[in-house]
Amino acid sequence: MSDFQTSKSTFLKKVVAIIEDNLADEHFGVTELADSISMSRSNLLRKVKQETGESVSVLIRNVRLHNAKQLLKDDTLTVSEISYQVGFSSTSYFTKCFRELYGYTPGEAGSRAKLEQEQEAAEEAQPTSQDKRNMTWPLIISSLAIVAVMLFFYFDKQKPVQNNLSKSIAVLPFKNDSADSTNIYFMNGLMEAILDNFQKIEDIKVTSRTTVEKYRGIAKTIPELSKELNVSYFIEGSGQKIGNEILLTIQLIEAPSDKHLWSKRYKREINDVFELQSEVAKSIAGEINAIITPAERERIEKIPTNNLVAYDHYLKGKALLDDETGEGLREGLAEFKKAIQEDGQFAQAYAYIAISYYYLDLYQTEQKYTEDLKSYADKAMELDSALGESLIARSLYYMQTRDFNKAIDSFEEVLEYYPNVAWVHNFLSNIYGLILPDTEKYLTHALQGIRVAVAGQDSATASYTYLHLSNALAQSGFINEAETYIKKSLEYNPDNLYSQYLYVYIKMARDFDLVRTKKELLEVLAQDTTRVDIIQEVAKVCYTMKDYKEAWQYYDRFIKLKEALQLDIYQSEDIKIGYVLEQLGRKEEAKRYYNSYLKYAENDQSMYRDLSLSAYYATMGDTDKAMDHLKAFSEQDNYQYWIVLFLDKDPIIPQMTDHPDYQKVMKKIKDKFWAKHKEIRVMLEKKDVIQPLKGDL
């Protein structure tokens, strides 16, 4: 048993032992480990994450590196030999990983080991106290001098000559040189495929396609773009498709100086399109000294289909999906189906059919495509379970069927393959923020999403990830910090109405001024009077103010819009609607909403089930039963600050005020929230992503 296993759990010791048994096999990864330990991949990912705080792939890599460190003590082996012995086929990648983990290169490991051995030998000699006083400083000074000289010569000879530019790039929209405008989809597809290949290389930071697309047709210099996008390199491309030939010119430009570093003109047969995409990515990575791991190289070189007619339909489908109006969704779906008619083994096309069905059903009262979504997602996974699109399709199926625990596992697996995808963190943030509330996990994914979204310079995604972070902080009671990040969200996208009305509530949390809150919400609503979510927020504020007549005006609009759009959202509002109708004397109508709400509350999977049932029985006048459920809710943890803030101001819950246990239970709910708030504060202050928190309410 290696030192790596010391003080670890029985499970982790077993995992490490299996990894060490397969150390030299560079292809031994997460899937192979899961098979060896007889666990599902998702359960393995979750268990290792719980025990180590790291992903399985990181654990495997660290076990390899730990064993390499031990082998490096033997100066009869070269660094290259050791890298192969521990499962690294690339010595340069091995060196990079080793330096990142230990802070020095494998070449330095031998001299460090000798120094440690000399120090241990000196300690074993055990000189007298007087000897120690006489000898310690000369020995230390002498040893340091020798090491300094060694390191000077080592770094002087080994340090490569390179510039100080970061490995950050933006792929500018390719120009279609053909007079045939119908070829634009092909050139855009070629650009996106090359950009996707760069995104598979962890050593390169890539600006998102949506951000760069905004610069299509805008006349700005490279230095100007560099300043706006904060990247070191730009890639420009132009070309055309003529019959069965592709002509493509690619240029690599050093951004700050506008210096052309590299260019190449390609003339290839259409049959070589995938090789062309791979070659461009690998060539440019080499030019900027980016390291490509063996696994990354394999992903870059993977050919999605051997049928070029199928690939052509696939590119047309992708182009239609990119239509921001959403009108191209069904047309894109038809193109993907044509692709699989041409190639029944085309996993990416199956995955995109499933993804399209998910978005066709999104928020709809009647979900028509669940079985289709499952069928195509299953087929994509069957054909290629290591494909990002396949994993995403499966995750969306679990979202569709509201199997949120499986959705979490599946999205975590997507992140195992593609850790730098902000929208996946946003999906997980939504689950932990709204569906299966867990404030700490909500904050964690919001913070991780910020890293990748901002690094990618995607303004829209960055705005939403800052929105998630602000909301997570507000839900945890950190109102000052929430205001800081909601302002950042609005800086990235001032038109983000979600951020606008969250900001209204953040300000309200300080003084609970509902009159001002309603006024500001109406200002947000005026920008888009069809926003169902904002209409119900205005209605909710009027309800809290006990202005039931005005509350009904907005709830009536809310109901009609929901029905017109066939939306299955905001079922939790039914109790407020019922209560408002009852206060207006419309008791028969109120019953219908109360019954609908009871069905919703009884099927609620979240921690708020008992709180929902407490509210229902309070409206029914059954105070004892309402209090029983409120007590049950008080045993929960990780609930949102908005619950604490509104609980005793809601017109329904205070109907239990006369119950002898009411005050005690309400105090318990608030005390538990603030105790959890303190725990989260410690967690946040340990994160290097944000500054230590300065205060709270």
Side-chain angles (χ1 to χ4, degrees):
M1 185 181 297
S2 75
D3 294 340
F4 195 89
Q5 295 172 300
T6 304
S7 302
K8 302 293 182 184
S9 70
T10 302
F11 165 76
L12 204 55
K13 288 177 180 178
K14 184 177 179 181
V15 168
V16 172
I18 292 171
I19 296 169
E20 292 183 331
D21 285 344
N22 295 274
L23 209 59
D25 182 0
E26 65 175 291
H27 299 295
F28 187 83
V30 182
T31 301
E32 291 73 20
L33 179 58
D35 290 341
S36 298
I37 204 168
S38 300
M39 292 180 72
S40 70
R41 184 185 172 95
S42 58
N43 283 339
L44 176 64
L45 294 173
R46 190 192 313 111
K47 182 73 172 173
V48 169
K49 188 77 171 180
Q50 286 174 347
E51 297 222 8
T52 69
E54 301 286 357
S55 66
V56 179
S57 59
V58 169
L59 175 64
I60 293 172
R61 185 180 65 190
N62 287 350
V63 172
R64 293 184 189 279
L65 293 171
H66 173 82
N67 280 270
K69 185 181 178 185
Q70 305 309 310
L71 291 171
L72 285 164
K73 294 177 181 178
D74 181 356
D75 57 10
T76 63
L77 297 171
T78 67
V79 171
S80 295
E81 288 171 335
I82 291 171
S83 72
Y84 287 115
Q85 283 191 32
V86 297
F88 286 86
S89 60
S90 167
T91 306
S92 60
Y93 180 59
F94 167 68
T95 301
K96 172 181 178 288
C97 294
F98 193 93
R99 184 192 296 115
E100 286 179 354
L101 183 61
Y102 294 114
Y104 54 90
T105 66
E108 296 175 71
S111 60
R112 284 174 177 260
K114 285 180 180 178
L115 185 59
E116 288 172 4
Q117 289 171 358
E118 289 173 2
Q119 289 173 338
E120 288 173 4
E123 289 172 4
E124 288 174 5
Q126 295 181 341
T128 64
S129 300
Q130 184 62 40
D131 288 339
K132 287 180 181 178
R133 286 195 295 271
N134 294 337
M135 295 171 60
T136 300
W137 283 109
L139 280 173
I140 291 174
I141 293 169
S142 175
S143 298
L144 289 175
I146 292 168
V147 171
V149 171
M150 288 170 61
L151 293 178
F152 172 81
F153 281 108
Y154 176 81
F155 283 113
D156 188 52
K157 291 177 181 178
Q158 300 294 327
K159 188 175 180 180
V161 178
Q162 58 183 6
N163 59 35
N164 294 320
L165 295 178
S166 66
K167 297 169 190 175
S168 55
I169 64 172
V171 182
L172 295 173
F174 283 11
K175 296 176 184 176
N176 178 32
D177 292 335
S178 172
D180 184 359
S181 61
T182 60
N183 280 336
I184 291 176
Y185 80 90
F186 185 85
M187 293 307 300
N188 286 344
L190 192 60
M191 179 206 80
E192 191 167 343
I194 291 170
L195 185 145
D196 285 345
N197 280 337
F198 286 127
Q199 290 176 326
K200 294 169 186 174
I201 304 171
E202 186 180 4
D203 204 29
I204 298 177
K205 291 184 175 66
V206 188
T207 300
S208 73
R209 182 193 61 79
T210 52
T211 295
V212 176
E213 186 64 30
K214 291 184 291 189
Y215 292 93
R216 186 187 293 273
I218 297 176
K220 287 197 173 185
T221 66
I222 290 295
E224 287 174 333
L225 290 174
S226 173
K227 188 174 181 180
E228 290 187 24
L229 295 176
N230 191 29
V231 296
S232 300
Y233 302 97
F234 281 93
I235 296 165
E236 289 185 332
S238 63
Q240 56 186 312
K241 176 172 165 277
I242 306 173
N244 288 324
E245 276 193 340
I246 303 170
L247 301 177
L248 181 66
T249 301
I250 299 288
Q251 297 182 82
L252 175 66
I253 304 165
E254 186 179 286
S257 63
D258 200 7
K259 177 183 176 183
H260 284 60
L261 300 177
W262 174 89
S263 67
K264 188 167 183 178
R265 182 175 174 82
Y266 297 90
K267 183 178 181 180
R268 297 290 177 84
E269 294 292 321
I270 191 73
N271 293 339
D272 297 328
V273 63
F274 303 119
E275 182 184 335
L276 172 60
Q277 294 166 359
S278 170
E279 185 178 331
V280 170
K282 290 186 290 186
S283 296
I284 290 176
E287 289 295 323
I288 64 174
N289 297 318
I291 295 170
I292 304 177
T293 71
E296 290 166 352
R297 184 177 295 274
E298 185 177 336
R299 288 177 187 170
I300 290 169
E301 293 175 350
K302 181 184 286 187
I303 295 175
T305 176
N306 291 313
N307 187 312
L308 293 174
V309 176
Y311 188 63
D312 195 65
H313 285 302
Y314 172 77
L315 290 182
K316 287 177 181 176
K318 288 286 297 295
L320 288 162
L321 289 189
D322 289 337
D323 174 14
E324 292 183 358
T325 65
E327 294 174 2
L329 193 57
R330 291 184 185 276
E331 295 174 49
L333 181 61
E335 290 294 338
F336 294 133
K337 287 188 173 181
K338 289 177 184 177
I340 63 170
Q341 286 173 2
E342 295 290 338
D343 179 3
Q345 305 299 304
F346 194 174
Q348 282 176 307
Y350 281 101
Y352 266 101
I353 292 173
I355 292 167
S356 300
Y357 277 131
Y358 172 79
Y359 283 104
L360 281 172
D361 262 353
L362 190 61
Y363 301 132
Q364 297 302 301
T365 305
E366 182 185 355
Q367 295 185 329
K368 302 176 182 178
Y369 303 111
T370 303
E371 288 306 312
D372 293 311
L373 168 53
K374 181 180 189 302
S375 174
Y376 286 103
D378 285 348
K379 185 64 176 179
M381 286 295 293
E382 176 190 328
L383 291 169
D384 192 347
S385 62
L387 181 71
E389 289 89 342
S390 300
L391 295 167
I392 290 163
R394 183 187 64 181
S395 303
L396 294 180
Y397 167 70
Y398 290 137
M399 290 294 293
Q400 173 94 323
T401 57
R402 301 183 68 80
D403 193 342
F404 298 116
N405 287 311
K406 285 186 178 178
I408 289 168
D409 289 344
S410 191
F411 278 125
E412 292 283 2
E413 195 168 345
V414 175
L415 289 173
E416 181 73 21
Y417 281 94
Y418 304 103
N420 296 321
V421 182
W423 68 262
V424 177
H425 289 293
N426 284 345
F427 259 103
L428 288 164
S429 292
N430 274 327
I431 294 172
Y432 288 126
L434 301 173
I435 302 165
L436 300 175
D438 187 316
T439 308
E440 194 165 339
K441 289 180 180 177
Y442 186 15
L443 274 167
T444 298
H445 284 288
L447 288 167
Q448 290 172 338
I450 287 295
R451 292 182 187 134
V452 292
V454 175
Q457 293 295 315
D458 184 338
S459 297
T461 305
S463 179
Y464 278 102
T465 46
Y466 274 122
L467 166 67
H468 276 300
L469 179 55
S470 176
N471 193 34
L473 287 164
Q475 287 184 8
S476 305
F478 297 100
I479 299 303
N480 293 336
E481 290 71 26
E483 182 172 15
T484 298
Y485 288 104
I486 202 64
K487 286 179 178 177
K488 284 184 178 291
S489 173
L490 289 167
E491 284 173 12
Y492 275 97
N493 182 10
D495 298 324
N496 186 338
L497 297 188
Y498 293 106
S499 297
Q500 288 187 28
Y501 73 73
L502 175 59
Y503 193 12
V504 172
Y505 277 114
I506 287 170
K507 288 184 283 187
M508 184 213 67
R510 290 200 173 92
D511 54 19
F512 213 81
D513 186 340
L514 293 178
V515 174
R516 187 195 67 226
T517 299
K518 184 179 82 169
K519 176 177 176 293
E520 292 180 351
L521 283 174
L522 288 171
E523 290 170 358
V524 179
L525 179 60
Q527 298 174 59
D528 184 351
T529 56
T530 65
R531 283 288 294 264
V532 176
D533 55 333
I534 306 174
I535 292 170
Q536 67 90 25
E537 293 295 344
V538 176
K540 193 186 308 182
V541 169
C542 293
Y543 155 84
T544 307
M545 296 170 70
K546 301 183 181 179
D547 186 345
Y548 302 118
K549 186 175 181 180
E550 189 170 11
W552 172 247
Q553 291 176 11
Y554 288 103
Y555 274 131
D556 189 35
R557 284 174 61 183
F558 165 72
I559 293 164
K560 288 174 180 174
L561 267 173
K562 270 182 64 176
E563 290 173 350
L565 298 171
Q566 297 185 319
L567 299 178
D568 183 26
I569 54 176
Y570 297 116
Q571 299 96 326
S572 60
E573 289 301 295
D574 283 356
I575 192 166
K576 298 184 185 71
I577 295 171
Y579 190 80
V580 166
L581 287 167
E582 185 176 3
Q583 303 312 304
L584 296 175
R586 299 163 64 172
K587 295 186 178 181
E588 287 304 312
E589 293 173 84
K591 283 182 184 178
R592 180 161 62 91
Y593 285 99
Y594 285 148
N595 291 336
S596 171
Y597 179 79
L598 177 60
K599 184 179 178 181
Y600 153 78
E602 288 177 336
N603 292 311
D604 189 359
Q605 298 178 41
S606 79
M607 69 171 68
Y608 297 113
R609 182 177 185 275
D610 280 301
L611 182 60
S612 299
L613 289 168
S614 177
Y616 172 77
Y617 287 111
T619 60
M620 296 296 105
D622 191 340
T623 305
D624 288 336
K625 203 164 186 179
M627 182 54 65
D628 287 342
H629 283 290
L630 191 65
K631 287 177 180 177
F633 172 70
S634 73
E635 299 301 321
Q636 295 289 346
D637 202 357
N638 256 336
Y639 39 85
Q640 301 172 3
Y641 178 59
W642 306 120
I643 297 296
V644 175
L645 187 63
F646 277 94
L647 197 58
D648 56 1
K649 300 174 181 69
D650 184 285
I652 293 174
I653 296 296
Q655 292 185 60
M656 293 183 278
T657 304
D658 293 336
H659 193 285
D661 294 334
Y662 177 77
Q663 296 297 338
K664 181 175 66 175
V665 174
M666 292 293 284
K667 183 177 185 302
K668 181 178 179 180
I669 291 170
K670 292 179 181 180
D671 288 347
K672 284 192 74 174
F673 171 82
W674 290 114
K676 187 65 179 179
H677 169 88
K678 290 179 180 177
E679 288 179 24
I680 294 172
R681 171 186 284 279
V682 173
M683 183 270 287
L684 287 171
E685 288 180 347
K686 288 180 179 177
K687 300 278 186 182
D688 295 329
V689 180
I690 61 174
Q691 294 295 317
L693 299 174
K694 297 176 182 177
D696 50 56
L697 285 184

